[in-house]
């Protein structure tokens, strides 16, 4: 277990709303650490639609998901937020003094006075194909990522998908596999053309197989896969496989947040509209993950929520400090924090 | 105008649809039960539907982007479409679509008050 990281605030989720919360909390001198399951900031904006234009960000008639993320990172840079990517928050424990210890699945520990849940639609996780009994094989024969190549050595590997993950792992695992088959629904790929070329060359040389098809069923025993049943336009067929890697992109799941004893309404966290506080003192929820009468799931709503939340968080972290409301335009104090020269 | 939606359990819903929306938005608005998690950006494939064969050829063809995105859907058939890419207008009045597997909303954690 690593050393305890001390901070004022832990923000769960580094999407646009989590990022802007750093700004509002920073103006009030609160230090933030952000935890996100993705390998980069921006949440849905960066993962699902980095190139797509957004038209309802105030003062930006049109901005892309990645553009918005980049501007936010620039805006919060003066506050030196610390990012922890590729991690899921695993646990949250309230301490006797009202503070929290937050742990991640990478065994980090954070000690903080305030937790801000800005987790949007939940954590991004690989899509599970709706094939019967697939759960029984997960972690033994069915994997959604490759953590240890050795798990795949001398195995009959079946990879399903047509994007970069499917192609890249076909190329990477082929040399150590007993056999490797790539299955995709069509003979066109979203992945890099160069990878497609390399994959086709391996097929040509007889070093791997490619089949058109979609999965219909799995066969095996005790979590050990032996065969995958598939179908395509020509009919049904099967491929002997002891390892299966399905790559169908990501989906969002609420995850461990459901287990923290917070009030929940249809997988959303109810909050008040004065502080955006949850049912647990010291835990706030902002952005798409919260709900209240009249809630609109808009990025701009999350920005507003972040500002009000920040003032409530300040009162928890520094209860004796009097906060004088200030504007960034006129306050030399705030401008100093923003490194305005 | 109306659209007909057959949900994951086979129940039939006839929905009054305003024109100029996306079929996904109408299904979502009536709470029929569709994940549609990217909100209509053609970026997640969780609004995948099968279009009734009689109707399939009558709606505008999918873009390359939509065809690519169908790679992340499950059980893709010749009549598969992403319902966020089908606009509601007079020409599809009476269309029937079937919600595809893999587009079910996340199971709800039981509502609770601590």
């Amino acid at each position: 277990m690593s050393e305890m990281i001390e901070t004022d605030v832990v923000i769960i989720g580094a999407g646009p709303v989590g990022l802007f919360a750093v700004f509002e909390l920073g103006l009030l001198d609160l230090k933030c650490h952000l935890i996100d399951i993705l390998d980069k900031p921006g949440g849905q904006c960066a993962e699902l639609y980095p190139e797509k234009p957004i038209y309802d960000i105030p003062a930006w008639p049109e901005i892309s998901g990645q553009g918005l993320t980049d501007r936010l990172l620039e805006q919060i840079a003066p506050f030196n937020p610390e990012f922890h990517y590729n991690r899921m928050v695993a646990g949250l424990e309230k301490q006797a003094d009202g503070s929290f210890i937050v742990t991640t699945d990478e065994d980090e520990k954070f000690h903080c006075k305030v937790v801000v849940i800005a987790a949007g639609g939940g954590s991004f996780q690989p899509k599970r194909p709706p094939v019967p009994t697939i759960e029984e094989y997960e972690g033994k024969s069915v994997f959604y990522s490759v953590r240890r190549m050795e798990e795949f050595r001398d195995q009959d590997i079946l990879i399903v998908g047509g994007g970069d993950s499917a192609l890249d792992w076909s190329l990477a695992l082929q040399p150590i596999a007993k056999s490797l088959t790539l299955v995709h629904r069509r003979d066109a790929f979203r992945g890099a053309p160069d990878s497609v070329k390399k994959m086709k060359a391996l097929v040509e040389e007889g070093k791997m197989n490619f089949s058109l098809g979609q999965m219909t069923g799995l066969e095996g025993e005790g979590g050990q896969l032996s065969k995958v049943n598939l179908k395509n336009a020509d009919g049904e067929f099967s491929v002997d496989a002891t390892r299966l890697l399905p790559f169908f992109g990501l989906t969002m799941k609420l995850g461990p947040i459901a287990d923290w004893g917070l009030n929940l309404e249809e997988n959303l966290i109810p909050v008040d509209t004065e502080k955006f506080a949850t049912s647990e003192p010291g835990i706030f929820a902002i952005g798409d993950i919260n709900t209240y009468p009249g809630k609109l799931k808009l990025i701009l709503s999350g920005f507003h929520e972040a500002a009000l939340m920040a003032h409530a968080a300040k009162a928890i972290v520094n209860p004796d400090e009097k906060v004088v409301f200030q504007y960034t335009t006129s306050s030399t104090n705030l401008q100093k924090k923003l490194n305005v020269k | 105008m109306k659209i007909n939606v057959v949900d994951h359990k086979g129940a039939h819903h006839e929905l009054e649809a305003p024109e100029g929306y996306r079929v996904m938005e109408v299904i979502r608005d009536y709470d029929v039960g569709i994940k549609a998690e990217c909100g209509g950006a053609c970026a997640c494939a969780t609004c995948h539907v099968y279009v009734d064969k009689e109707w399939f050829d009558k709606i505008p063809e999918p873009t390359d982007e939509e065809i690519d995105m169908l790679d992340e859907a499950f059980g893709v058939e010749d009549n598969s479409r992403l319902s966020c890419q089908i606009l509601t207008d007079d020409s599809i009045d009476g269309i029937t679509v079937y919600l595809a597997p893999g587009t079910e909303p996340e199971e709800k954690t039981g509502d609770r008050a601590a």
Side-chain angles (χ1 to χ4, degrees):
Chain A
M1 185 71 71
S2 53
E3 228 171 284
M4 184 79 79
I5 298 170
E6 294 285 340
T7 182
D8 294 319
V9 181
V10 166
I11 300 174
I12 302 169
V17 173
L19 294 178
F20 191 66
V22 172
F23 183 84
E24 291 294 332
L25 291 159
L27 288 179
L28 300 171
D29 300 314
L30 302 186
K31 166 83 182 169
C32 300
H33 281 251
L34 298 98
I35 302 170
D36 200 289
I37 196 153
L38 294 177
D39 58 0
K40 55 184 176 292
Q44 280 192 57
C45 288
E47 179 63 31
L48 290 182
Y49 46 87
E51 307 300 331
K52 295 252 159 86
I54 310 171
Y55 300 101
D56 62 351
I57 304 299
W60 285 99
E62 180 181 338
I63 189 167
S64 68
Q66 191 56 50
L68 178 68
T69 303
D70 293 344
R71 297 281 93 74
L72 284 163
L73 288 170
E74 187 186 325
Q75 192 169 25
I76 66 176
F79 302 111
N80 300 310
E82 291 184 46
F83 293 94
H84 306 265
Y85 299 121
N86 294 311
R87 280 146 177 77
M88 183 150 80
V89 171
L92 176 95
E93 253 180 70
K94 188 149 201 170
Q95 308 301 297
D97 64 355
S99 64
F100 298 93
I101 291 179
V102 177
T103 51
T104 70
D105 59 357
E106 293 285 333
D107 264 358
E108 285 145 318
K109 272 183 163 186
F110 299 83
H111 182 228
C112 59
K113 295 207 169 105
V114 164
V115 174
V116 177
I117 303 173
S123 56
F124 278 98
Q125 291 174 23
K127 276 187 200 155
R128 168 192 282 163
V131 176
T133 73
I134 193 164
E135 298 93 323
E136 296 167 24
Y137 298 95
E138 288 172 355
K140 293 184 190 129
S141 306
V142 174
F143 297 88
Y144 297 99
S145 61
V146 179
R147 290 216 163 181
R148 292 192 325 117
M149 298 260 289
E150 280 308 303
E151 291 268 12
F152 296 84
R153 182 176 293 280
D154 300 327
Q155 302 284 340
D156 293 311
I157 305 173
L158 178 64
I159 295 180
V160 191
D164 282 316
S165 300
L167 289 163
D168 291 350
W169 283 116
S170 294
L171 301 178
L173 293 173
Q174 180 274 326
I176 63 164
K178 186 171 158 202
S179 74
L180 191 140
T181 305
L182 175 66
V183 168
H184 183 42
R185 72 177 184 94
R186 58 182 181 136
D187 194 13
F189 296 83
R190 306 186 308 293
D194 183 54
S195 309
V196 177
K197 218 167 106 191
K198 285 183 183 151
M199 181 274 290
K200 289 197 165 159
L202 286 174
V203 172
E204 199 75 13
E205 292 166 36
K207 290 181 175 163
M208 64 170 277
N209 306 305
F210 171 70
S211 297
L212 288 174
Q214 298 185 75
M215 286 186 284
T216 54
L218 307 179
E219 288 181 35
E221 235 184 75
Q224 297 305 322
L225 187 68
S226 56
K227 194 191 264 189
V228 177
N229 297 320
L230 303 117
K231 67 167 188 179
N232 62 23
D234 299 328
E236 296 181 4
F237 64 105
S238 64
V239 171
D240 289 336
T242 53
R243 290 285 181 274
L244 170 65
L245 281 162
F247 291 113
F248 289 86
L250 302 175
T251 188
M252 287 175 277
K253 295 211 163 108
L254 187 58
I257 293 172
D259 306 324
W260 295 347
L262 301 170
N263 285 2
L264 289 176
E265 267 175 38
E266 306 225 330
N267 284 2
L268 298 169
I269 304 173
V271 291
D272 68 84
T273 50
E274 181 192 344
K275 298 173 173 172
F276 300 92
T278 68
S279 58
E280 182 65 38
I283 305 182
F284 298 86
I286 56 175
D288 283 0
I289 194 113
N290 76 13
T291 184
Y292 51 82
K295 167 75 181 184
L296 290 178
K297 284 192 185 184
L298 295 174
I299 294 170
L300 70 92
S301 309
F303 289 169
H304 159 81
E305 294 160 18
L308 271 67
M309 172 281 294
H311 282 262
K314 176 70 175 173
I316 291 174
V317 179
N318 306 117
D320 302 325
E321 201 173 307
K322 180 171 163 51
V323 176
V324 179
F325 182 72
Q326 294 176 302
Y327 292 103
T328 53
T329 311
S330 51
S331 161
T332 44
N333 174 30
L334 294 184
Q335 288 175 5
K336 212 161 119 192
K337 292 176 195 178
L338 293 168
N339 300 336
V340 177
K341 299 262 155 62
Chain B
M1 62 165 291
K2 287 185 164 59
I3 62 170
N4 300 290
V5 179
V6 180
D7 69 22
H8 298 105
K9 289 181 178 147
H12 187 170
H13 308 260
E14 188 185 67
L15 310 177
E16 183 64 45
E19 279 187 46
Y21 285 77
R22 290 150 190 273
V23 167
M24 177 277 286
E25 292 170 327
V26 178
I27 299 170
R28 186 182 59 191
D29 210 52
Y30 281 96
D31 223 358
V32 173
I34 189 166
K35 188 150 194 178
E37 67 185 351
C38 83
C42 194
C44 73
T46 57
C47 68
H48 172 208
V49 295
Y50 304 119
V51 175
D52 186 277
K53 296 222 157 84
E54 276 187 33
W55 285 94
F56 188 76
D57 293 331
K58 296 181 185 161
I59 59 178
E61 286 188 12
T63 59
D64 289 348
E65 187 184 23
E66 181 183 344
I67 294 168
D68 277 353
M69 205 60 233
L70 279 168
D71 283 355
E72 293 192 3
F74 299 107
V76 177
E77 301 285 347
D78 292 342
N79 58 337
S80 283
R81 290 293 304 264
L82 296 182
S83 59
C84 72
Q85 301 300 307
I86 309 172
L87 291 173
T88 58
D89 63 28
D90 256 355
S91 71
I92 68 156
D93 190 2
I95 193 173
T96 298
V97 299
Y98 300 80
L99 302 190
T103 62
E104 300 85 351
E106 187 181 2
E107 212 171 295
K108 303 267 163 73
T109 305
D111 291 358
R112 69 171 174 244

